[in-house]
Amino acid sequence: MTLTSALLVALGASVGAPLRFLVDRWARRHSRAGTTLGTLIVNLVGSFLLGVVAGLPDATSWVLPLVGIGFCGALTTFSTLAFELWVFLERREWKPFAATLGISLGAGLPAVWLGWAVAAG
Amino acid sequence: MTPRPRSRAHRSRVGLLAALSGGGVLGSLGRYAVGAAVPHPTGGFAWSTLLVNVTGSFAMGVLVVWVLSMDRPHPLLRPFLGVGVLGGWTTFSSFALDARTMVTAGHGLLAAAYVVGSVVVGLAAVGLGVTLGERTFGPRP
């Protein structure tokens, strides 16, 4: 952990967090109340992009802290996903609970593989 | 010619951007520091990611109850703490990459335990945060 890499993480995060907010706001306007579309979009896109960054065969040293740890880390979220899932549990809304968890894992994990495969060529 | 005074809407957009970016930087640097402080071998169990995700989920449970208990919460409070700090502190992308790294290292069972464990412990942490929050700030409306 160097000062340079910390600055790169900060720079990436300063863009990722506002973008996450914009995606979430867009999703709330374009989907029914109570859906978790915004969280799903940022987590799937961020996982794919991190896969790309981590899978690049000859990436320069600044790419992973800037794009991977900073941008993708701030764009994606585990805490909001966990909270949304918890609310479904509290309300005994099993279908949206299962759908949100199923899509997050069932698409989010393969998204990393896909990104890696795309980058590795 | 004097410059036109900035509109209130413009100022509030700048404030929102600052809250989101500033919070995201703080949370992400914290997560980066945890990753450096709690290293794991390639393909090993990613304790650092689990740690940030579980603690962040707990904090999110407390935060939402706290904000909901306020009469007039500051409009930047939730963007700063929820989306910025906790969004930057926790990560789904690293969680997914950790699982891939464990699988490709031949530790498929470890990856399964990591994924299931993160979800189960993360949910329990949110529930604990919500429960403690409601005891402190009163039940959610």
Side-chain angles (χ1 to χ4, degrees):
Chain A
M1 187 175 169
T2 64
L3 180 62
T4 309
S5 56
L7 285 173
L8 290 167
V9 170
L11 188 62
S14 71
V15 178
L19 184 60
R20 147 111 195 275
F21 182 85
L22 290 177
V23 170
D24 206 55
R25 199 174 59 176
W26 177 88
R28 281 178 203 286
R29 282 182 189 160
H30 291 85
S31 66
R32 283 182 302 134
T35 60
T36 57
L37 181 66
T39 308
L40 289 174
I41 293 173
V42 292
N43 281 349
L44 297 189
V45 171
S47 297
F48 174 80
L49 188 58
L50 182 61
V52 170
V53 170
L56 284 173
D58 41 25
T60 43
S61 58
W62 53 267
V63 176
L64 190 63
L66 178 72
V67 183
I69 302 172
F71 179 79
C72 293
L75 178 69
T76 66
T77 175
F78 194 90
S79 49
T80 297
L81 172 67
F83 184 81
E84 289 169 346
L85 287 171
W86 175 258
V87 171
F88 288 140
L89 276 184
E90 270 187 338
R91 296 177 181 164
R92 308 271 189 276
E93 294 174 353
W94 308 118
K95 271 188 190 170
F97 174 83
T100 301
L101 182 59
I103 296 170
S104 293
L105 297 181
L109 297 177
V112 167
W113 263 266
L114 185 64
W116 190 297
V118 168
Chain B
M1 225 173 87
T2 52
R4 239 162 19 108
R6 298 290 194 195
S7 70
R8 181 169 294 185
H10 175 85
R11 278 205 311 274
S12 79
R13 272 201 302 273
V14 171
L16 178 62
L17 184 66
L20 291 164
S21 285
V25 167
L26 286 178
S28 296
L29 284 178
R31 167 169 47 82
Y32 185 50
V34 170
V38 190
H40 61 272
T42 302
F45 196 91
W47 287 107
S48 55
T49 311
L50 184 74
L51 182 68
V52 293
N53 282 344
V54 168
T55 52
S57 298
F58 170 80
M60 181 63 84
V62 177
L63 174 70
V64 174
V65 175
W66 180 49
V67 172
L68 287 176
S69 76
M70 295 178 190
D71 287 331
R72 289 171 58 208
H74 193 283
L76 296 182
L77 189 61
R78 211 165 156 173
F80 176 68
L81 288 180
V83 180
V85 174
L86 293 184
W89 176 254
T90 68
T91 173
F92 187 89
S93 50
S94 287
F95 158 75
L97 181 63
D98 293 336
R100 182 192 188 277
T101 310
M102 289 178 220
V103 169
T104 51
H107 306 151
L109 269 179
L110 191 71
Y114 173 70
V115 169
V116 173
S118 294
V119 170
V120 171
V121 181
L123 277 174
V126 174
L128 186 65
V130 167
T131 306
L132 283 178
E134 293 197 327
R135 278 195 195 163
T136 310
F137 306 110
R140 279 174 288 166

